[in-house]
Amino acid sequence: MTETTDPLVLFMPSGKRGRFPVGTTVLEAARTLGVYVESVCGGRATCGRCQIEVQEGQFAKHGITSSNDHISPVGPKEKRYAEVRTIPEGRRLSCSATIQGDLVVDVPPDTVVNAQVIRKAATDRTFPRNPAIQLCYVEVDEPDMHKPLGDLDRLNLMLEKDWGFHDILVAQHLLPDVQKTLRKGNWGVTAAIHRDLDTSRPNMIALWPGLHNEAYGIACDIGSTTIAMHLVSLLSGRVIASSGTSNPQIRFGEDLMSRVSYVMMNPDGREAMTKAVRQAINDLTIKVCAEAGVHANDILDAVFVANPIMHHLFLGIDPTELGQAPFALAVSGAVHTWSREIDLAINHGARVYCLPCIAGHVGADAAGATLSEGPHRQDKMMLLVDVGTNAEIVLGNRERTVAASSPTGPAFEGAEISCGQRAAPGAIERVRIDPETLEPRFKVIGVEQWSNEDGFAEAAEKTGITGICGSAIIEVVAEMYLSGVISTDGVVDGGMAAKSPRILENGRTFSYLLHDGAQKITVTQNDVRAIQLAKAALYAGIKLLMEKLEVETVDTIRFAGAFGSFIDPKYAMVLGLIPDCELSEVKAVGNAAGTGALMALLNRDYRREIEDTVTRIEKIETALEPHFQQLFIDAMALPNKVDPFPKLSAAVTLPERKVLAEGDGEGGGRRRRRSRE
C-alpha cells in the first residue's frame, strides 16, 4: 500500500491513531504512537503482557471499519503461549499480531497491571549546604550624565563591591531586559550568580526586579525503568517535593540493549528516545512544582544521574558504541550544560550538571550511589550493589576501590519469568512456604493482609493476583530451597509430589504451584534456572572484585536502587545473590543514586569529591577476566558450590545439601546427598 492508503489504527481508550504499513505488529504501532502496552519479554510472546482486543464494527466518528479479519491469524508464537498459559477469548498478543487493515484496538486495563508503583523516595539525611547558585540583592546607582557607564556595568560594579564577584559573565538572554528590570525594581535587583568551581568565572544566569528570595534546584535519577526527582530549596537545603514516573523509553525497549538496538535499526530512534525522556522530565518538573507551589522559572540548577545509556540518550548522544565492545563512552567526565540546550522547562539560564560515569556500563548512577554511601571514606570493606538488568557493583574502602558491571539480565524485574511482572498492585511481593506442608502464604501489593489472613480474599478481588514481582521472585526461590522443594543445584524435586499436590509435573521437569485462582501462578524449572543465571552473574562479578582486592569477606553490604529497597537480606544471602556477611550489616539504602544527585545539588564540594573519586576507582571488565566463568559456574548452586556461608548458617537453618539431575522422572532416581557445609 502507499503511504496514503496504509491501514489506520486507533488505540482505545487513549484515542491515539496513526497509519502503518501492512505487516506492522500492533505492539510496534502502539510504541510509535506512545500508547503504553506492557511487554516484559521484549516481544518474544512469552510474557503475555501485551494482550489487546480488536473491536469489530463501523466507527463512523473515526471513519474506521474494524474487523478481526484486519489482523493476522493466530501464529505459532501465540499458539505456543496459549498451550502454556491461557489467553482470554478475543484477545491477541500484540507483539505477534500484525496489521492487515483498519483497526480499532482496545488495550484492556488489566493488561496494563494498573500503574507501576514508583518506589524511589527522598532521603531523610541532611547535608552541609554550599550550592553553586547564590542570590545577590544589590542597589545600583542611577544613570549619571557625568559618569557615562552602562546600566549593566554599574550592576556588575555593585555585585563586585557588595558580594565580591569579579569579571561576571552575563547570560545573553538577560541583556535585552537589563535596563527594564533595573527600572522596574527602582534600581534594586536580585541577581542569580552561578559558580561551580571557585576558580571559574561567575555567571549571572537570572535577574529579578527588587528582592527575590526563591531559588530551587532539581536532583533527578534517570533509571531505565523509572525516573525519580527531588525539588529542593537551595536556600534552606530542604527537599520540598519528590515524585517519580515510568521512563517512557520502555515503549522502545524493555532493557538497555534493546534500546541501543532500536537506535541502530531506526534512523530517528535516538532523537525519539531523547525527546521522550526529556518530556517525561519536564512533566515530572511540572508535577513537583505544582505539589510545592513553586514556579518552574525559579529552578536555577539541576543535577542528573543515570546509567551510561540513559545518560547518553538524555544528553542527545548516540549510545550505539555502548552496545558493542569496547563499550566506549562518548564522555565519561562530569557534564556542565544549560537547561535551554537540552530543552528543559525550567529557568532559561539554569545550569545542568551530570555526575561523571565510572566506566562503559558503570554509570553516573553508580557514581551517585558511591558519593551517597562513601565506601571511599571508611575503613570497612563495603560492597555497594545496584541490582537491575545490568547490576553495578562497587567494592572497597578508603585505601582502594574497584567497580564492575555484571549482566544479570531482566529476570529480577520479571522478564524471563513465566508469571513475572513489575511491582504493581496485584503482584505478589512476599512469600513464605511451610517446610512441613509446602503450603505457601504470600503478600500482594495493594493488600494489607497476608493470603492466610481474614479479609485477604475480599481485598484481593480489587487488585487481582496477577503475577510475581522481583522481591517475591527472590523469596519464593529461596523458600523453595529452604523447604526442600528445590535442590542445591536448583532442580525442582519431583519426589516432593508425594508430599504435596503443589508439586506439578511438566513433562520431564516439575513446577511449584504458588497460587491457583483466576490466574494460575507457578514457579517453573525454567524460572528457577533464570534466577540462578541472574544471581550467578551478580555473585561472580562480586567475587571477581573481592579477588582483585584480595579479600575473603566483606564487612558491610548496601543494596541501592528501588528494587534493592525491597530485597530481604536473608533471602538474598540464602539465594547466593551476595556473599556471606552479618545480616545486621546488610542494609537497603533506597535510591542512593538520587541521594548522590541531591548531595551534588546542595553542595558543589561533593561534585569535586566524586569527580576525584571516579578517577581513582579501578574499573574491572568481567568479560575479559578468564576466572569469571568458573566463578559463575560455582555461583549457580544455592547458595554456592564452594563458598561457605558460616554467618548465614548461624542465623538460618540451611537444608541438607542435595544434588538432583533434571528429568529424574519421580524426582530423585539419581539423587546423591552431601552433608551440609
Side-chain angles (χ1 to χ4, degrees):
M1 290 186 177
T2 65
E3 184 179 351
T4 55
T5 57
D6 282 343
L8 178 62
V9 182
L10 170 69
F11 285 91
M12 299 300 289
S14 68
K16 294 183 178 180
R17 60 165 65 196
R19 292 191 178 274
F20 300 92
V22 167
T24 304
T25 65
V26 176
L27 179 60
E28 183 181 348
R31 285 175 171 171
T32 301
L33 294 175
V35 176
Y36 184 72
V37 178
E38 190 170 49
S39 177
V40 176
C41 66
R44 297 181 181 87
T46 57
C47 71
R49 288 287 169 207
C50 66
Q51 295 177 24
I52 51 92
E53 294 177 358
V54 172
Q55 300 298 313
E56 291 200 292
Q58 288 187 332
F59 298 83
K61 177 181 176 182
H62 305 290
I64 296 177
T65 299
S66 177
S67 168
N68 274 306
D69 294 332
H70 294 174
I71 196 167
S72 61
V74 175
K77 286 185 177 180
E78 289 179 280
K79 289 179 180 177
R80 186 170 63 249
Y81 175 83
E83 291 172 359
V84 179
R85 296 173 65 188
T86 58
I87 302 179
E89 187 176 352
R91 296 232 181 135
R92 299 292 303 276
L93 298 183
S94 64
C95 64
S96 297
T98 61
I99 298 164
Q100 303 297 319
D102 292 349
L103 288 171
V104 174
V105 176
D106 185 32
V107 182
D110 61 300
T111 64
V112 180
V113 199
N114 299 310
Q116 185 180 347
V117 176
I118 306 302
R119 295 180 159 185
K120 297 186 178 182
T123 180
D124 55 2
R125 291 161 59 184
T126 57
F127 309 102
R129 194 175 60 83
N130 182 22
I133 298 292
Q134 187 171 351
L135 295 186
C136 305
Y137 175 76
V138 292
E139 293 180 349
V140 181
D141 293 337
E142 296 187 34
D144 187 338
M145 291 183 65
H146 300 288
K147 297 177 182 179
L149 202 60
D151 288 351
L152 179 59
D153 301 279
R154 293 197 312 282
L155 169 59
N156 284 336
L157 280 175
M158 293 308 298
L159 287 167
E160 181 176 346
K161 177 185 175 183
D162 293 352
W163 296 91
F165 288 113
H166 305 273
D167 194 24
I168 297 172
L169 179 64
V170 181
Q172 169 62 37
H173 73 279
L174 297 179
L175 295 178
D177 296 324
V178 167
Q179 291 187 309
K180 181 172 62 177
T181 304
L182 284 166
R183 285 157 179 79
K184 186 176 181 181
N186 196 25
W187 304 100
V189 292
T190 303
I193 304 297
H194 175 276
R195 187 168 63 172
D196 195 338
L197 295 163
D198 287 332
T199 56
S200 63
R201 190 175 177 185
N203 285 252
M204 186 192 301
I205 64 171
L207 188 67
W208 297 271
L211 177 64
H212 187 88
N213 59 358
E214 299 285 338
Y216 300 94
I218 53 174
C220 187
D221 172 18
I222 307 173
S224 56
T225 304
T226 62
I227 302 172
M229 179 181 290
H230 306 312
L231 177 64
V232 185
S233 168
L234 298 178
L235 303 181
S236 70
R238 291 189 308 110
V239 177
I240 58 174
S242 297
S243 191
T245 186
S246 296
N247 189 329
Q249 291 178 344
I250 287 174
R251 66 176 182 262
F252 301 102
E254 287 287 330
D255 56 67
L256 295 173
M257 287 301 104
S258 64
R259 294 181 203 178
V260 174
S261 298
Y262 187 86
V263 171
M264 296 172 68
M265 296 168 62
N266 296 272
D268 300 324
R270 196 280 307 157
E271 184 179 352
M273 278 194 272
T274 295
K275 183 178 179 181
V277 73
R278 289 178 181 175
Q279 184 58 54
I281 289 167
N282 286 339
D283 291 343
L284 207 49
T285 303
I286 293 170
K287 184 176 180 181
V288 293
C289 284
E291 180 182 330
V294 167
H295 198 288
N297 193 55
D298 288 330
I299 297 176
L300 304 174
D301 202 6
V303 174
F304 290 88
V305 294
N307 63 57
I309 291 172
M310 294 299 96
H311 170 279
H312 278 34
L313 287 170
F314 169 62
L315 293 173
I317 302 170
D318 189 326
T320 300
E321 291 298 327
L322 290 170
Q324 55 199 3
F327 313 112
L329 289 155
V331 54
S332 57
V335 173
H336 302 257
T337 188
W338 302 86
S339 65
R340 60 180 178 271
E341 295 293 333
I342 54 176
D343 303 319
L344 297 187
I346 56 180
N347 189 286
H348 197 57
R351 297 303 300 265
V352 174
Y353 175 83
C354 296
L355 269 68
C357 292
I358 297 176
H361 283 295
V362 188
D365 52 351
T370 300
L371 178 61
S372 171
E373 300 310 306
H376 57 289
R377 302 188 201 106
Q378 57 185 295
D379 297 322
K380 283 185 175 182
M381 185 58 61
M382 174 185 280
L383 171 64
L384 175 62
V385 56
D386 189 343
V387 184
T389 304
N390 191 68
E392 294 170 315
I393 314 163
V394 179
L395 176 68
N397 55 20
R398 68 174 74 252
E399 294 183 3
R400 187 183 175 196
T401 307
V402 293
S405 65
S406 199
T408 52
F412 291 135
E413 295 179 349
E416 299 179 359
I417 304 299
S418 61
C419 295
Q421 68 167 84
R422 289 204 180 96
I428 295 173
E429 62 173 345
R430 291 279 176 260
V431 179
R432 301 290 182 268
I433 297 175
D434 187 306
E436 297 300 324
T437 65
L438 303 188
E439 284 298 303
R441 60 189 182 92
F442 52 82
K443 201 166 187 303
V444 172
I445 295 176
V447 178
E448 291 186 8
Q449 301 93 334
W450 282 74
S451 60
N452 63 328
E453 294 178 345
D454 292 340
F456 171 82
E458 293 77 8
E461 285 183 3
K462 299 176 183 178
T463 62
I465 303 174
T466 54
I468 312 173
C469 74
S471 58
I473 289 168
I474 288 175
E475 290 192 7
V476 72
V477 174
E479 280 280 333
M480 288 168 68
Y481 170 64
L482 291 174
S483 61
V485 173
I486 58 176
S487 61
T488 302
D489 54 345
V491 176
V492 180
D493 188 352
M496 289 286 188
K499 183 176 181 180
S500 170
R502 290 192 174 273
I503 309 301
L504 307 178
E505 186 174 358
N506 300 319
R508 288 177 54 81
T509 63
F510 294 84
S511 60
Y512 177 75
L513 177 63
L514 182 58
H515 173 66
D516 193 4
Q519 180 115 350
K520 195 172 187 177
I521 298 175
T522 60
V523 181
T524 69
Q525 182 64 68
N526 285 339
D527 295 340
V528 176
R529 282 286 176 257
I531 293 301
Q532 284 181 277
L533 290 167
K535 75 99 176 179
L538 177 57
Y539 191 90
I542 294 170
K543 285 291 291 183
L544 198 61
L545 296 189
M546 292 174 68
E547 289 183 353
K548 291 293 180 183
L549 293 183
E550 299 180 339
V551 297
E552 295 292 330
T553 59
V554 297
D555 299 316
T556 184
I557 299 175
R558 296 293 181 264
F559 275 119
F563 178 52
S565 298
F566 290 84
I567 296 176
D568 187 309
K570 179 181 77 173
Y571 290 108
M573 209 174 291
V574 168
L575 194 65
L577 191 69
I578 51 176
D580 193 50
C581 183
E582 293 289 348
L583 286 175
S584 61
E585 287 292 337
V586 184
K587 292 182 173 64
V589 291
N591 184 16
T595 301
L598 180 62
M599 292 168 68
L601 176 68
L602 288 172
N603 193 324
R604 55 199 173 110
D605 296 336
Y606 285 127
R607 304 183 187 188
R608 308 293 84 79
E609 178 184 336
I610 194 58
E611 289 166 6
D612 176 65
T613 300
V614 163
T615 63
R616 291 184 286 106
I617 294 176
E618 300 171 44
K619 297 84 176 175
I620 309 300
E621 181 52 64
T622 56
L624 301 179
E625 296 291 332
H627 194 212
F628 180 82
Q629 189 62 30
Q630 185 58 52
L631 292 171
F632 178 85
I633 292 170
D634 292 341
M636 283 290 288
L638 302 173
N640 193 278
K641 184 178 180 180
V642 296
D643 288 351
F645 280 72
K647 293 173 182 175
L648 174 65
S649 298
V652 178
T653 302
L654 296 176
E656 178 185 356
R657 292 177 65 90
K658 64 179 178 181
V659 177
L660 303 175
E662 277 189 43
D664 277 353
E666 291 302 314
R670 298 200 301 271
R671 183 188 313 174
R672 62 185 186 277
R673 295 182 179 269
R674 292 200 295 261
S675 62
R676 185 178 52 169
E677 293 180 348

